[in-house]
Each structure stands twice: as structure tokens, then as C-alpha cells.
Amino acid sequence: MDCDVVNNMNAATRRTKEDKKVLKKQQKASHTLLKHEGISTTPQPTKSLVVANGGLGNGVSREDLFAAVKQFGDVESLLMPPQKPYAFVTYRFEDGARKAHAQLNGQKLQSGENSVTFYLSYVDSAKHREEALVGFPEGLTLVEDFVSLEEEALLLAAVDWSTSNEAQKALKHRRVKHYGFEFRYDNNNVDKDKPLPAGLPDECLRVLQRCLQDGLINVLPDQLTVNQYESGQGIPPHVDTHSAFEDTILSLSLGAKAVMEFRHPDGRAVPVVLPERSLLVMKGESRYLWTHGITPRKFDLVPACEPDVGSNSGLTLSKRGTRTSFTFRKIRYEPCCCAFPSACDSQEGTSPYPSPSPSLPRCHADATLLEEEYVHRVYDAIASHFSRTRHTPWPQVCHFLSSLPPGSVLVDVGCGNGKYLGVNPQLITVGCDRSSALVQICAERGFQVFVSDALSVPLRTASCDACISIAVIHHFSTLKRRLAAVRELVRLLKPGGQALIYVWAYEQEYNKQKSKYLKDHDKQHNEEKSKDTPEESQESHEEPSVFITSHVERDVKDASKMTEGRLSVHTNRTAFNSQDLLVPWHLKGRKTHGEEESSGRFSSRGEPSPDLDSSMSSDTTNSPDSKCSPSDNLSQIPGGSSVPVFHRYYHVFQQGELEQLCTQATGIKVQHSYYDQGNWCVVLQKE
Amino acid sequence: MIPKLEWSALVQAADQLGHREDLPGELVPDYEKNEDFLKKVHRVLLEVEVIEGSLQCPESGREFPISKGIPNMLLNEDEA
């Protein structure tokens, strides 16, 4: 073929490929914006564009962004929310937006030292203009100018601070005074049987009547808390105790304005400016689920002027003055039966975050909190001890690794202490783990590793010939996250590449053969043992000397019912009675000898293990494990030292569950599915 | 191994570290037999190690720190 024609064809193909890439990235940016910021983009052209990577959070200055966008038409407004990785530009005419989109999408901009790539999408003009209201907590209303200047002065004068707390003053805390009922800060509740002698101040009556008339409340409040915040004072984020107060809570801001932050459990944060003499009405979700708080600050960032006027809309620093809030509430006498049980002390126990006794997460934010507390923090704390007990690679995993062609690129996602990274030196192996402490151990062994989340591995799509993920996915606390982990592995694979996944099995007895994990259970006591898990039960080929005499056979349905409530603490070396649980780990320091290099389960080799019963032949700690003990518990061993106990969250898989999970990730075929010493295992291949 | 590399990315990284030396910008033809070239690749791949530094995303500008030879690629909650 003619050279030029070929070149042109190649150039055209390259352009289309480039275009496709840009489009893909634009879509990804769009999706992220929606997910995290509640910003929805629209395919239809409008006057407004969101510029992903064009925000103050990307280090892009206002001047540079303005210079980039102004050439396409008259710019009506340029909005750059602080610390955000995006900005909004609204043109006077749609034509300007169209031109900007065509020219700037996928383009690089040099701003100072940074080079960023813009991705532009259209946004609904009307919606984005009310940016302050987008994502406004449900049930929240702000009524401005609710009281007059005279009323404000009267109310402020009505509070007699002379009896205020000396300790408070000394600690530079905000000043607090209660009327009607005393609010107790030790249990965040009210003494309902001990009303205060003085009711609410008379001066408040007019304001409350107005609230009734305006239909903001149906019943007159009977409790008032007055908070006075000087510049630099605040109040930590909290939800007003459900069982103490009824639904609607009113808060009147006097003396100065402030910014109150509302946070949803899913991570959304909305700052709300409370002007002087405004009334904040919290109902429903905003009262029961979102936390609210005031960051101790001397200056707040507030809008400089109305967002839809002029092209210089921006933010300005507002110095805080002394703000006094009057919070009116109605005492609740019946238990709370709201629609937000996760935050409700009447329905579920203590407040959601952080929870001493965790329950199965209902949303992404809960899941990350749970995993942070019961997986990541634990591994970082136990890393060296954990590593010492993980030294023998499992034969079946080694077989998989050895069967890979030399020169294959392998990634071990959740590599732990690097046990598998050196098994086949002919591979190009890279490992990653969520725990810096464990990754550090791998690096010391000379492996190529980095710290990363298994849901977000920073390797190019289709860059790996093979992946392994051994004893990792069972630490994700929701189905969605487990599936996301599998999908991420699939993403990394080249077509034809294979992944090996191991997860802890619910069924510790399979084909009438008990796993070593169960076999090592002492037949005399149902007590706490060493933290050995099936992950290391392939240590040696010795025959275990102790057999469990009885086991609990569990109906599978029971197990799933239990997942709705609180997570229970598992007793090591017994059968699982739930799929979601906390598994204890008894941390041992270097001083205890005889624990390494041994299978750790058999008769103590010089190890000073205090036994409850001298006839017991197993080693290590025999401390009784209390149910639902929080992490970092110090467990008392009879006769001796206390040992810190950590709890790790696991979701143990039932037969077929891992396979099913994998098939939900499209574009793969399950090649091989088997049971290996207490684990369910799958080899999948990317199509 | 070389076919598995994104060559331009390797060259750019080496360049930014100031360790590129005479590594060519494009793969030389018949590189498998070119001893000289293979030595250069070996040096860059296996003998240059970033101990302290950072990786920067070319699109968002976000920096990921490298400490003790280990990159920390964790995203914040609001970035994932």
C-alpha cells in the first residue's frame, strides 16, 4: 500500500484511539464527581461545565483557569470550591460552553509547577448554581432573619452567665447553660425525672410561638441549651441522642455567624453558613443521621457574594465573632423508633462511630471504618508477630506459581509478609498490601512492593500475566467490596491471564475431613488458643496429636440470619457459627521463645505457657476469650502476664460462594475450584 | 521482559530521576542481541532505586510519597 495512505490511516486510528481514551477518562472523572460530590453531569450541552482536574485542589489558580476558559465566550461565573479537584464555569451563552468543551476536553494545562489534564462535562446550569444546596442534608431548613435585632438583644440579655462553670472558663471551652432539663455530657442524655426549677426563659416564648405558627414545630419544646462560642471555639461532630429528644430540633444563632458542618455516614460533608438571627431547623435525616459540628476556628470561608451574580463569585474569610446559639428541643419519653437504626441508641445500642461492638456495615463508609478498625489497624500492630507465623508457602499456591511461564509478570495483591513473592524467581513479581508494616517486611527481604488498597491497585489495566490474592478478600466486609476486589484482579490481568484466589472457608470440615485448624483444637476445653489460622495450617506434615471430639454442625440459614446483627467474636479452633465474625489474635512479643519456626500448636517446646490444666498438651495462651471484647483488649492468662488481644474481621465463604462471586465479575471463566485445608480456592482466567 | 515494559514511561522516569544517562528514547531494533543496550536497561531497571521521593500523577497532580523505597499509593477516602 502507498506509504502516505498507511501513515494517514495510522494517524487517524491513533486519533480515534486517543479520542476514545479521553472519552473514557472524562467518563471516569464524571463518575467520580457524582459518587463523591453529588455532582451529576449531563450529556446534553448546557451553559455550564464542570472542569475535572481544574480545581484549587489540583493547584490550579483562578487566573490560569480563567485565562484558559475566557477565550471561548463571555464567562458568567467561575466557581472554584476550595480544596476540591474541580471547578465550574458558566458561560453566558451555550455556544461558549460548547466551544470550551470541544477545545479543552483532554487538554493539558500548565499551572505553576503543575501540569494537569482537564476533563470537561456539561452540568445542569440551574442545579449547579445552587451549589450550596446541592447535597443539603435531607430534612434541614435554614430560615434567615427569624428574629429582629431587638429580639436578639433581649434574648442575649436573658441569659445569666454569672453562675457559669469556672472549669469551663479555665479550659477555654464554649460556655453552656441549660433550661428545663439538665443535659448530661457523661452519657449524652437528659435526666428526665429531674426537671430544672426554672423552665424556659419568658423571652423565648415569642420566638417559639412563631415557630408553631410557621408550622416548623407541632409541639412546644421543653428543653433549652444555650451555647456561647467565642472565636476559636467549637463543638465536635455529633448526633443529638435519639432517645433523649423528639424529632425536630431548632437552633437559633445570635451575635455572630458561623459555619456548621454536617456529615453523612457515607462521607458526604456539607458546610452550612448560619447567619446571625437565623433559625436552623433539623428534622428527619439531618437530625437523626447526619452529624453536625462546629470546627474550632477563628475564620470561616464563606461565599463572597451570591453565586449566580458576576464572574467574581468566590469565597472570602469571615472572622468569627462570639456566637450564641439557643437550641430548643422536646424531651422524648418513649423509646425512639426512627428510620435510622444505625445511629439510634434506642434501637441498636451506642452511636455508630466508633462503635465498640461493631455490626455489619450498611454502607461504604461504615465498611471502611470497620475494616480500618478490625483489619488494617490490627495488621499494622501485629505485623512482625504475624510475619513470624507465616513462613511456609502452601504447596498448591506454589504449584500455581511454578506453572507460570518464565518472565511472566505477577502481582500478589495482599502479599502480607511476602511469603509468595520469592517462590518462583523466574517471574517478574510485584507485591502490594494495605499494611505498611507488612510491606516494610517485604522490602527488607528485597522484594518489589508498594502500599496500596486492593480495591485500587495502581497498575495499568491488562498489564499482568497472573495475579494471586491469598487470604485477602475475606477481609472485605460487604459483598460489593468483595466483588470489587475480584474485579480489580480481573482488570489487572491480560486476556488469557490467570488469577488464584484463596479465602477462608466457613466449612472447616469438608469431606468428613477436619481442617488442621479444627484438628488442633484441644478436646478438653473450648478455650482460647494460639492465633493460628488455617492460613498457616500447612506448616508441616506432622500428624496433629489432638483431635476435636465434637463439632458444631450449623444450619447454613442460621448463619446468614446472624449477619444482620452484631459481629460476634469467634472462638479460635472451633467451627464457625456465623459467616461474619471477629477472630482473635493474641499478640506475642519477641521475648516468648519457642513460638517461631514451630507449627505452634503442639506440645510446648520450652515455652512458658501457663496452662489452666496441666494435662493440656498444646502450647501458647489459654486465656478465656470474652465475647465481644473490643480490640486491644488485654487478656488475662491465669498465672501470668496479660497479652494484648486483637480482633480481625472476616467474612468466611461458603461452598460455591467464591465461585459465584467470581462469575459476577464479567469476562472471566472459572478454570478450577477446590478446597484446600480450610480454604475455598478458585483459579480464574480472563477471556 | 522488555516487551512487557512501556518503554517511554521508563525513559521518562529515568530522565526525571536524572539517571537516564544514554538510554535511548526508542527501542533499538534487535535489542535482544544488543549487549550494550541490554546493559543499559539492566542498570536502569535493577540498579536504580528510588529510596525517598514521590510519584506524581500526570493528570491530577496528586503526589504519592516514596519512603524507604516503598511507594504509598493509598488514596484518601474522598479520592477513591
Side-chain angles (χ1 to χ4, degrees):
Chain A
M1 239 202 219
D2 188 64
C3 230
D4 278 343
V5 175
V6 172
N7 281 340
N8 283 337
M9 275 176 58
N10 285 343
T13 334
R14 265 202 304 274
R15 265 201 302 276
T16 342
K17 264 199 196 149
E18 281 302 313
D19 288 342
K20 277 196 190 146
K21 256 193 186 170
V22 169
L23 183 65
K24 218 171 164 188
K25 293 207 170 143
Q26 181 201 321
Q27 282 169 343
K28 185 171 182 208
S30 191
H31 183 253
T32 309
L33 283 172
L34 177 63
K35 187 170 158 205
H36 287 289
E37 312 282 345
I39 295 167
S40 46
T41 58
T42 163
Q44 258 66 39
T46 65
K47 293 198 296 186
S48 300
L49 294 158
V50 60
V51 185
N53 287 340
L56 289 171
N58 299 101
V60 174
S61 73
R62 199 175 181 84
E63 295 115 332
D64 284 346
L65 182 65
F66 189 59
V69 300
K70 70 177 184 189
Q71 54 191 299
F72 304 108
D74 285 344
V75 173
E76 209 172 67
S77 74
L78 194 62
L79 207 68
M80 297 186 83
Q83 282 144 35
K84 296 291 186 183
Y86 56 82
F88 294 100
V89 55
T90 303
Y91 287 90
R92 216 158 131 230
F93 301 108
E94 194 181 280
D95 189 53
R98 279 184 197 249
K99 286 205 180 101
H101 189 281
Q103 299 295 325
L104 286 179
N105 198 21
Q107 288 306 311
K108 278 198 166 72
L109 173 87
Q110 193 75 28
S111 184
E113 283 196 0
N114 279 323
S115 170
V116 293
T117 307
F118 288 161
Y119 293 104
L120 281 75
S121 298
Y122 297 107
V123 289
D124 186 332
S125 315
K127 269 197 202 152
H128 113 256
R129 229 167 246 169
E130 291 154 33
E131 222 231 338
L133 295 177
V134 163
F136 214 61
E138 202 240 294
L140 192 69
T141 322
L142 183 68
V143 188
E144 302 203 27
D145 292 308
F146 197 74
V147 294
S148 67
L149 280 158
E150 292 100 353
E151 285 169 333
E152 178 185 44
L154 264 161
L155 286 163
L156 286 171
V159 181
D160 176 15
W161 291 109
S162 59
T163 53
S164 75
N165 199 318
E166 283 305 318
Q168 265 175 0
K169 278 196 205 142
L171 291 168
K172 295 194 179 161
H173 280 174
R174 66 185 198 280
R175 288 208 287 196
V176 179
K177 201 168 164 85
H178 302 285
Y179 297 85
F181 290 82
E182 187 80 39
F183 185 80
R184 290 174 51 177
Y185 292 94
D186 56 348
N187 63 357
N188 276 344
N189 216 314
V190 169
D191 269 330
K192 298 175 193 179
D193 332 310
K194 296 190 205 131
L196 292 167
L200 271 53
D202 293 331
E203 291 88 340
C204 302
L205 203 54
R206 202 151 62 144
V207 176
L208 293 175
Q209 291 287 10
R210 194 175 302 153
C211 295
L212 263 176
Q213 267 160 17
D214 291 355
L216 299 169
I217 43 168
N218 298 321
V219 176
L220 277 180
D222 52 9
Q223 199 271 342
L224 165 66
T225 296
V226 183
N227 280 293
Q228 191 170 76
Y229 305 82
E230 294 194 21
S231 166
Q233 292 176 339
I235 183 170
H238 62 282
V239 176
D240 284 23
T241 308
H242 291 210
S243 66
F245 309 107
E246 297 283 357
D247 193 355
T248 310
I249 293 178
L250 306 164
S251 191
L252 189 62
S253 297
L254 306 172
K257 65 146 96 61
V259 175
M260 177 170 275
E261 243 120 34
F262 280 81
R263 277 187 191 274
H264 190 276
D266 69 9
R268 270 179 291 157
V270 180
V272 179
V273 179
L274 305 174
E276 289 168 63
R277 297 185 301 284
S278 70
L279 182 75
L280 186 69
V281 185
M282 287 183 277
K283 253 177 92 85
E285 216 182 88
S286 67
R287 177 258 179 278
Y288 285 120
L289 189 64
W290 293 70
T291 63
H292 56 272
I294 295 180
T295 312
R297 283 203 279 246
K298 297 203 167 149
F299 294 88
D300 285 309
L301 275 173
V302 297
C305 52
E306 289 311 300
D308 57 356
V309 168
S311 59
N312 284 325
S313 65
L315 295 163
T316 192
L317 287 176
S318 166
K319 185 166 183 196
R320 279 206 192 159
T322 301
R323 172 180 166 267
T324 307
S325 73
F326 278 60
T327 303
F328 298 98
R329 300 179 279 204
K330 173 78 191 70
I331 300 290
R332 181 191 285 273
Y333 293 100
E334 302 291 322
C336 179
C337 53
C338 65
F340 312 96
S342 67
C344 185
D345 63 320
S346 290
Q347 297 179 59
E348 287 244 321
T350 48
S351 67
Y353 25 98
S355 171
S357 240
S359 41
L360 212 58
R362 283 155 208 275
C363 63
H364 168 78
D366 280 354
T368 41
L369 279 171
L370 180 80
E371 289 159 23
E372 178 58 42
E373 178 80 10
Y374 293 98
V375 180
H376 309 309
R377 237 174 44 94
V378 178
Y379 277 112
D380 271 340
I382 68 177
S384 57
H385 182 207
F386 178 82
S387 178
R388 290 200 298 279
T389 61
R390 266 49 182 167
H391 38 77
T392 312
W394 287 346
Q396 299 265 54
V397 181
C398 292
H399 174 76
F400 176 86
L401 294 172
S402 308
S403 67
L404 296 171
S408 295
V409 173
L410 168 78
V411 64
D412 182 345
V413 179
C415 60
N417 68 341
K419 193 162 79 164
Y420 295 108
L421 299 176
V423 166
N424 184 345
Q426 296 201 304
L427 306 176
I428 301 159
T429 308
V430 138
C432 65
D433 200 273
R434 183 61 174 70
S435 162
S436 326
L438 285 172
V439 171
Q440 181 66 36
I441 291 171
C442 296
E444 282 160 17
R445 294 183 176 171
F447 297 126
Q448 296 294 312
V449 283
F450 53 89
V451 178
S452 133
D453 194 307
L455 299 182
S456 220
V457 181
L459 295 176
R460 283 176 295 147
T461 301
S463 56
C464 303
D465 297 295
C467 306
I468 59 171
S469 192
I470 312 298
V472 177
I473 295 182
H474 53 209
H475 281 311
F476 285 108
S477 55
T478 67
L479 174 63
K480 255 189 172 174
R481 290 166 74 75
R482 293 188 284 271
L483 180 58
V486 175
R487 287 196 167 130
E488 188 66 351
L489 290 173
V490 174
R491 180 186 71 79
L492 295 171
L493 286 175
K494 289 197 180 122
Q498 292 191 325
L500 174 66
I501 303 175
Y502 265 56
V503 291
W504 209 354
Y506 172 77
E507 302 85 348
Q508 286 298 307
E509 181 176 330
Y510 189 65
N511 279 342
K512 302 204 174 122
Q513 258 285 314
K514 291 182 180 64
S515 69
K516 284 198 178 152
Y517 177 71
L518 284 185
K519 284 178 187 167
D520 296 328
H521 177 83
D522 182 73
K523 62 183 173 184
Q524 296 180 6
H525 281 275
N526 214 27
E527 225 114 41
E528 189 42 56
K529 288 293 174 196
S530 86
K531 64 285 146 241
D532 289 2
T533 61
E535 296 152 55
E536 60 147 71
S537 54
Q538 290 240 339
E539 235 53 50
S540 60
H541 300 285
E542 295 171 38
E543 278 304 297
S545 55
V546 176
F547 280 81
I548 188 173
T549 50
S550 68
H551 66 274
V552 177
E553 216 153 54
R554 201 70 196 185
D555 182 42
V556 163
K557 285 182 212 144
D558 280 355
S560 51
K561 260 188 237 152
M562 285 169 133
T563 58
E564 286 313 310
R566 296 236 169 266
L567 292 172
S568 57
V569 176
H570 174 66
T571 306
N572 276 351
R573 304 207 174 283
T574 62
F576 293 121
N577 55 21
S578 163
Q579 276 192 276
D580 294 275
L581 31 80
L582 299 172
V583 179
W585 178 280
H586 293 260
L587 183 64
K588 309 249 243 33
R590 295 213 152 261
K591 297 209 178 125
T592 319
H593 63 273
E595 71 184 48
E596 308 104 340
E597 307 316 324
S598 71
S599 40
R601 301 173 301 259
F602 307 116
S603 47
S604 39
R605 299 165 192 187
E607 189 174 347
S609 55
D611 287 347
L612 273 182
D613 180 341
S614 57
S615 62
M616 273 196 240
S617 57
S618 285
D619 68 324
T620 68
T621 57
N622 296 317
S623 48
D625 192 43
S626 54
K627 291 279 170 192
C628 301
S629 42
S631 303
D632 300 13
N633 201 19
L634 281 181
S635 173
Q636 284 299 338
I637 304 173
S641 47
S642 50
V643 166
V645 179
F646 291 87
H647 291 117
R648 282 174 302 164
Y649 167 81
Y650 282 88
H651 169 89
V652 295
F653 282 67
Q654 286 178 4
Q655 181 168 18
E657 191 185 330
L658 180 60
E659 250 192 83
Q660 209 205 20
L661 185 70
C662 290
T663 47
Q664 277 186 269
T666 52
I668 59 111
K669 251 210 171 88
V670 172
Q671 297 289 95
H672 193 200
S673 170
Y674 59 95
Y675 183 87
D676 184 10
Q677 276 304 311
N679 295 288
W680 286 115
C681 321
V682 153
V683 176
L684 58 82
Q685 183 164 44
K686 184 162 174 177
E687 278 155 9
Chain B
M1 162 119 192
I2 291 176
K4 314 221 177 196
L5 297 171
E6 194 178 294
W7 188 255
S8 54
L10 178 66
V11 174
Q12 191 186 24
D15 200 36
Q16 285 178 345
L17 291 175
H19 278 271
R20 179 180 168 172
E21 290 180 27
D22 50 359
L23 198 68
E26 299 251 337
L27 278 175
V28 302
D30 275 344
Y31 56 78
E32 305 99 344
K33 306 204 184 100
N34 191 326
E35 272 289 324
D36 204 46
F37 176 75
L38 289 175
K39 280 202 185 128
K40 290 178 190 168
V41 180
H42 184 271
R43 181 188 56 82
V44 161
L45 280 179
L46 300 171
E47 294 171 25
V48 180
E49 191 83 43
V50 177
I51 303 296
E52 297 293 325
S54 69
L55 288 163
Q56 185 174 45
C57 174
E59 301 212 342
S60 70
R62 184 6 173 134
E63 284 196 11
F64 295 92
I66 302 176
S67 182
K68 298 187 203 169
I70 302 168
N72 185 337
M73 312 302 293
L74 291 177
L75 296 170
N76 297 324
E77 259 188 46
D78 53 355
E79 286 174 309

